[in-house]
Amino acid sequence: MTAAPESVPSGISPDLGSVLPDRAAVQRRTVNVLMAAQVVIGIGMGAVISSGGLLIEHLTGSEAAAGFATTLVTLGAALLSVPLAALSRARGRRAGLGAGWLIASAGALTVLAGAALGRAPLALFGLLLLGAGTAANLQSRYAATDLAEKDGRARALSLVVWSATVGAVLGPNLTGPGAAVARALGLPEASGTFVFSCVAFLAGAAVIRARLRPDPLLLAARLDAAAAPARQARFLTRMSGALRHVAASPSALTGLTALVLGHAVMVSVMTMTPVHLAHHGASLSVVGFTISLHIAGMYALSPLVGKAADRFGRVPVILAGQVVFVAATLLAGTAGSRQWAIAAGLFLLGVAWSCATVAGSTLLSESVDAAHRSEVQGASDTLMNLVGAAGGALSGAFVAFSGYGGLNAAAAVLVLPVSACALYFGLRRR
């Protein structure tokens, strides 16, 4: 006899049995398991960030095409966010997150195949599939809040973001060992890190599948009666309604704007930084170190950002992030060939992204009712990655037209609408 599948509409799951577990105890376990998975997954995503653009430039000989590496990863995340969220709603977080990281591992293998055959389109398709890893990463931060109490939501979210630090910082520094692996396999040097990415995604999926029990989203469906009707509805039919729900709330709109445009600033500048450094004579090790600093800025300080958001409020932290965005783009954009200045600018860029993401995600989630929350989260991830994909796509052409400094100047302009929304919401609330 086969086991009954996990499902939400019935309100019963084999993960849960007939007796409901203690909510607080399951929340602690959930956060610990998500953190463990993020340590491993961070290696895979960090390696992709540092090597994707260099590999595509090697295969195509085009600097503008290099920008499409990160573009396709973010576009893939946008396309897969809704299906993975729908899968999570139907079968739980284990199914959604695990499927995302399995698809990402297949993407890494496809990139390696494209590198081996010298086929840029195949490698680009692999990068598109790797976007599933980003989509799953983003949804894992929301998984940390499924069972969290309101006053601990920002802290739980920030801890999962923070846990990616070790792997994400280590990943870009695998460019040297990756080059050695690539040479041994007869592949282009920039493709070697994708071997590590494939292994990391498989390991992360295994951790989630084996350890994320009981499933937090399925348990929340039973514990939170208000959320049950929404989880019984079809996800795709409620997306437009979710966006209208956001537009009707100034606080939700502020959180969404901070998330989407902050991601666009980060992706557009980060995408072309490895290529800019390489054109100024930087080695693969220097490129990897710079991206590591950037990722450290994104993740390492997130618990402090979460604590600040709980203590001082979401909007002040969002506004602080916009100030740091301006400082980051100013420093990197005027650095020229000074590698230390570019590295410092990329670190600040990561810190600003952390402020926008942690505070923005928390503000968005708590500004909508439970009946709309999961739809709003899925919509925000889709918009976040679509706009990030557009920024990455335009970044290569922008650098070719106006240089790396011009790209940073254009990215800095995006802080204006975020600041306007945050100030409007703050004044209206007061």
Side-chain angles (χ1 to χ4, degrees):
M1 180 179 296
T2 57
E6 297 175 68
S7 61
V8 173
S10 66
I12 301 296
S13 166
D15 275 353
L16 305 181
S18 59
V19 178
L20 291 175
D22 177 70
R23 183 178 189 129
V26 176
Q27 169 65 7
R28 289 192 296 271
R29 176 181 172 83
T30 296
V31 171
N32 289 337
V33 172
L34 291 171
M35 290 173 64
Q38 285 295 314
V39 170
V40 179
I41 292 299
I43 296 175
M45 293 311 303
V48 170
I49 291 172
S50 64
S51 300
L54 296 175
L55 176 61
I56 296 304
E57 185 181 24
H58 171 82
L59 293 175
T60 63
S62 170
E63 178 179 341
F68 282 100
T70 303
T71 299
L72 283 173
V73 174
T74 53
L75 180 60
L79 295 174
L80 292 167
S81 289
V82 170
L84 290 177
L87 180 59
S88 293
R89 287 170 55 81
R91 301 298 299 272
R93 293 291 187 187
R94 288 195 302 126
L97 298 180
W101 289 326
L102 287 176
I103 294 171
S105 67
L109 287 175
T110 304
V111 171
L112 290 170
L117 298 173
R119 301 290 181 86
L122 186 59
L124 289 169
F125 178 68
L127 290 168
L128 184 71
L129 293 179
L130 277 162
T134 298
N137 282 4
L138 291 173
Q139 291 184 20
S140 68
R141 80 190 193 276
Y142 288 127
T145 68
D146 286 337
L147 295 168
E149 300 295 339
K150 184 175 180 180
D151 58 358
R153 194 170 293 147
R155 180 178 180 275
L157 188 149
S158 66
L159 285 174
V160 173
V161 173
W162 168 80
S163 63
T165 304
V166 176
V169 171
L170 178 62
N173 285 295
L174 294 175
T175 50
V181 171
R183 288 192 296 269
L185 297 175
L187 300 173
E189 289 189 356
S191 67
T193 53
F194 289 91
V195 176
F196 303 128
S197 295
C198 181
V199 175
F201 289 129
L202 288 173
V207 169
I208 289 297
R209 185 65 187 173
R211 303 296 298 168
L212 195 63
R213 296 176 183 270
D215 190 286
L217 188 56
L218 298 183
L219 178 58
R222 295 186 63 189
L223 294 177
D224 189 350
R231 291 191 173 89
Q232 295 173 10
R234 289 188 176 182
F235 184 85
L236 293 176
T237 62
R238 299 180 65 86
M239 284 293 291
S240 60
L243 293 178
R244 288 194 298 269
H245 196 69
V246 170
S249 169
S251 58
L253 186 61
T254 298
L256 181 63
T257 304
L259 275 173
V260 170
L261 296 186
H263 196 63
V265 174
M266 188 275 291
V267 171
S268 60
V269 174
M270 179 272 298
T271 295
M272 295 308 298
T273 297
V275 177
H276 176 74
L277 286 169
H279 284 181
H280 283 83
S283 65
L284 285 176
S285 297
V286 171
V287 172
F289 176 73
T290 301
I291 298 300
S292 291
L293 282 179
H294 168 62
I295 296 174
M298 292 172 65
Y299 300 130
L301 301 180
S302 57
L304 296 179
V305 173
K307 186 175 181 180
D310 281 335
R311 180 174 181 180
F312 301 110
R314 322 312 188 198
V315 171
V317 173
I318 289 174
L319 288 172
Q322 306 315 299
V323 174
V324 181
F325 268 133
V326 172
T329 52
L330 180 63
L331 183 57
T334 59
S337 60
R338 294 174 295 162
Q339 296 175 2
W340 69 267
I342 296 174
L346 265 288
F347 174 78
L348 291 177
L349 186 73
V351 173
W353 178 90
S354 182
C355 292
T357 300
V358 172
S361 297
T362 307
L363 180 61
L364 177 65
S365 290
E366 67 190 14
S367 298
V368 295
D369 55 64
H372 297 85
R373 189 168 295 143
S374 58
E375 284 83 5
V376 167
Q377 290 169 351
S380 71
D381 285 349
T382 297
L383 289 176
M384 184 177 175
N385 285 293
L386 282 175
V387 174
L394 294 173
S395 63
F398 215 103
V399 168
F401 177 75
S402 62
Y404 185 67
L407 172 64
N408 277 270
V413 174
L414 296 180
V415 307
L416 296 177
V418 178
S419 300
C421 282
L423 289 172
Y424 170 75
F425 169 60
L427 292 173
R428 177 170 175 168
R429 184 176 58 180
R430 181 172 297 179

